[in-house]
């Protein structure tokens, strides 16, 4: 008798009519075969799926160029399909599940004809963890099959784990005809199903990532009492050798990967990497909050990555174990057959092909690499990978950091008064938009907890869930807000960022171990600022004047922002917890 998994795959094959079905085992040998298929047989438009790069300098590395209209997440084409529209909330596009299925069936009919259907059994999270989740994705493109092999734990053992059970997360993916008018990313939380067609781009196509580990997982977390968050997980080691674990939420393309593998500018401090994008947060038996990274790889933004900004990422990319490393939509140095992007080390090469494969001229006004070009690389290649990264329970979290990209108003760092106030600070977060999603770049939008595009249900209920989690914690972590991106009157960054950010993390670590302390921090209406001289500037050449400007809380600027915050919070009507409004009113009156 066919198992539920076999039945599901058969049904999808009947609908999509692939020429063949290949069940993937996630092995390196299989990845090599898939790369070969992508190099020689499979095509997107008039290009092969993969091009092998210089093996001397970029071992096991391949370039992939996506369809030019398919370079970022498409939030306007992303839907949550649940019978109760209120549950889905104004933060998501909604469609009735039956209507959505009819639409998707129509678009999927015969969509894999002439192609191979790859069946990918995978687990998000360490397979030994009680929090890990078994999933199966089908796809019709080698690029997605290999990418999922890098980003997840994929293997035959997952099939044994699923066995005859119905308890697995289903992902249907086809690149379809790549027509943006026939592109949809649909989530069915009641069935643990994601159905995506028409895009091969990361967050739209690697369904274990944002679609499952955030949108669907956020529903599971609501039901089961945990949180799925858009967060980095790091350990900060101090000169005595003590390691403090932190999580930090930042919107896409705001420096999460740089933060996750920062090389400290302060002697004696070291950052241990556990994750650069997603954290699942559970309450442990001791009543503390524990964080686990469900992913096994990095899908990071290439432009701006260099030995200066993120040396550990460059080392990771060049470590070259046998699993492939992928570059998507970077430029290509024709003479050396190496990937290239704006901000990488060294002079600009003479002979470049841009991200679409066209010759690039130095006087051209366009960028050679797409601003959202990415690398996909195995986390095990990371030289700063924490020895605790494989801990099935996750690591205990002492502080939660929320950040955004703000040229003004928001200080370098601010500590919340308590959990409830911290949740409010995160709820009113805003950030200037980036190229990670297809929309206008550089506009301020509210992005609570950096989860606006990823919380799969009504954000009013989400804030309530956060408040409840705090009540269940024996000792809730301290909550902080950061902003590395504040500028002065001349538009220059006030804070150097990158490895210097350790100075802020050091303060956060000290504060998080010391919540009842009488240290001379400064109270403002918006939260606590570090006291004078509390941020360690030793040996950095950072001016105290700039630090003070970066730290300033200007009540007039804050007041000016309140109407926009109010409009945003009001969208959630009576699902917005009263506690959040209490905090809003307290802030408004104390400003
Ligand atoms: O495209 S992804 O969603 O995978 C990456 C990101 O935007 O954070
Ligand atoms: Mn992300």
């Amino acid at each position: 008798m066919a198992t539920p998994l076999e039945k599901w795959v058969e049904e999808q094959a009947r609908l999509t009519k692939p020429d063949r079905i290949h069940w993937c085992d996630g092995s390196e040998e299989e990845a090599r075969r898939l790369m070969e298929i992508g190099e020689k047989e499979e095509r997107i438009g008039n290009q092969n799926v993969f091009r092998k790069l210089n093996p001397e300098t970029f071992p096991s590395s391949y370039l992939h160029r996506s369809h030019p209209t398919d370079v970022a997440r498409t939030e306007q084409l992303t839907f949550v399909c649940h019978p109760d529209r209120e549950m889905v909330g104004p933060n998501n596009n909604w469609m009735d599940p039956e209507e959505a299925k009819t639409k998707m069936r129509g678009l999927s009919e015969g969509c894999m004809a002439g192609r191979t259907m790859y069946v990918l059994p995978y687990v998000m999270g360490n397979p030994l963890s009680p929090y890990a989740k078994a999933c199966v994705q089908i796809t019709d493109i080698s690029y997605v099959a290999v990418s999922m092999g890098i980003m997840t734990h994929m293997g035959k053992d997952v099939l044994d784990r699923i066995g005859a059970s119905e308890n697995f997360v289903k992902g249907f993916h086809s690149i379809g005809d790549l027509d943006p008018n026939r592109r949809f990313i649909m989530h069915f939380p009641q069935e643990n199903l994601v159905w995506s067609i028409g895009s091969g781009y990361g967050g739209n196509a690697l369904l274990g990532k944002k679609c499952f580990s955030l949108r669907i997982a956020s529903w599971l977390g609501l039901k089961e009492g945990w949180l799925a968050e858009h967060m980095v997980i790091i350990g900060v080691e101090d000169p005595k050798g003590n390691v403090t674990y932190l999580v930090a939420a930042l919107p896409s393309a705001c420096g999460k990967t740089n933060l996750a593998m920062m090389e400290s500018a302060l002697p004696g401090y070291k950052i241990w990497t556990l994750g650069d994008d997603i954290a699942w947060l559970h309450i442990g038996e001791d009543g503390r909050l524990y964080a686990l990274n469900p992913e096994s790889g990095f899908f990071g933004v290439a432009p701006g990555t260099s030995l200066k900004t993120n040396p550990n990422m460059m080392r990771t990319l060049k470590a070259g174990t046998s699993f492939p490393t992928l570059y998507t939509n970077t430029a290509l140095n024709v003479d050396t057959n190496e990937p290239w992007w704006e901000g990488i080390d060294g002079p600009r090469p003479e002979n470049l092909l841009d991200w679409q494969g066209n010759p690039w001229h130095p006087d051209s006004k366009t960028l050679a690499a797409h601003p959202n070009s990415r690398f996909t690389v195995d986390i095990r290649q990371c030289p700063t990978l924490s020895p605790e990264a494989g801990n099935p329970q996750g690591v205990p979290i002492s502080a939660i950091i929320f950040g955004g990209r703000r040229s003004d108003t928001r200080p370098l760092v601010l500590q919340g008064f308590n959990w409830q106030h911290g949740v409010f600070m995160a709820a009113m977060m805003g950030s200037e938009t980036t190229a990670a999603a297809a929309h206008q770049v550089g506009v301020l939008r509210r992005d609570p907890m950096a989860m606006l595009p990823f919380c799969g249900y009504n954000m009013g209920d989400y804030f309530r869930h956060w408040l409840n989690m705090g009540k269940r914690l024996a000792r809730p972590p301290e909550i902080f807000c950061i902003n590395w991106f504040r500028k002065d009157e001349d538009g220059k960054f006030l804070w150097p960022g990158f490895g210097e950010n350790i100075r802020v993390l050091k303060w956060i670590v000290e504060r998080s171990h010391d919540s009842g302390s009488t240290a001379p921090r400064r109270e403002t209406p918006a939260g606590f600022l570090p006291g004078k001289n509390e941020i360690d500037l030793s040996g950095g050449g950072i001016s105290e004047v700039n630090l003070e400007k970066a730290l300033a809380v200007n009540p007039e600027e804050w007041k000016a922002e309140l109407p926009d915050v109010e409009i945003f919070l009001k969208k959630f009507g009576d699902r917005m917890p009263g506690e959040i409004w209490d905090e809003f009113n307290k802030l408004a009156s104390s400003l």
Side-chain angles (χ1 to χ4, degrees), residues 51 53-54 65 331-340 349-354 357-360:
R51 174 199 171 104
L53 295 166
N54 187 333
R65 295 191 185 112
L332 178 72
N333 179 340
V334 182
D335 297 325
T336 60
N337 196 29
E338 291 171 336
W340 191 87
E350 292 281 309
N351 273 318
L352 274 180
L353 293 185
D354 71 10
N358 301 316
W360 187 83

Side-chain angles (χ1 to χ4, degrees), residues 71-73 75 201-204 206 209-211 214-215 230 250-253 256 277 295 299-301 372 374 434-437 454:
V71 291
R73 280 183 290 105
E75 292 174 8
Y201 173 76
N204 292 342
L206 314 183
K209 198 172 175 52
K210 299 300 178 21
C211 298
L214 291 176
R215 294 196 195 93
H230 193 201
L250 290 146
S252 302
K256 282 205 297 301
D277 197 36
E295 301 190 285
F299 181 62
V301 178
N372 193 36
R374 299 264 173 167
T434 69
F454 307 120

Side-chain angles (χ1 to χ4, degrees), residues 250 401-404 406 408-415 480-487 493-498 500-505 507-508 528-530 535-537 542-543 546-553 558:
L250 290 146
I401 301 171
F402 292 102
R406 294 293 306 269
D408 53 44
T409 314
R410 294 312 175 97
L412 181 62
V413 62
L414 198 59
Q415 181 178 8
F480 299 82
C481 284
I482 54 164
N483 176 24
W484 310 141
F485 301 96
R486 196 168 189 179
K487 292 180 178 166
F493 286 112
L494 283 163
W495 180 253
F498 304 107
E500 307 292 345
N501 291 337
I502 189 68
R503 301 172 191 281
V504 175
L505 296 186
W507 183 75
I508 288 176
F528 293 119
L529 285 176
I535 300 277
D536 182 348
L537 291 184
I542 302 167
S543 90
N546 273 1
L547 175 65
E548 281 304 307
K549 280 191 190 167
L551 283 175
V553 169
W558 280 74

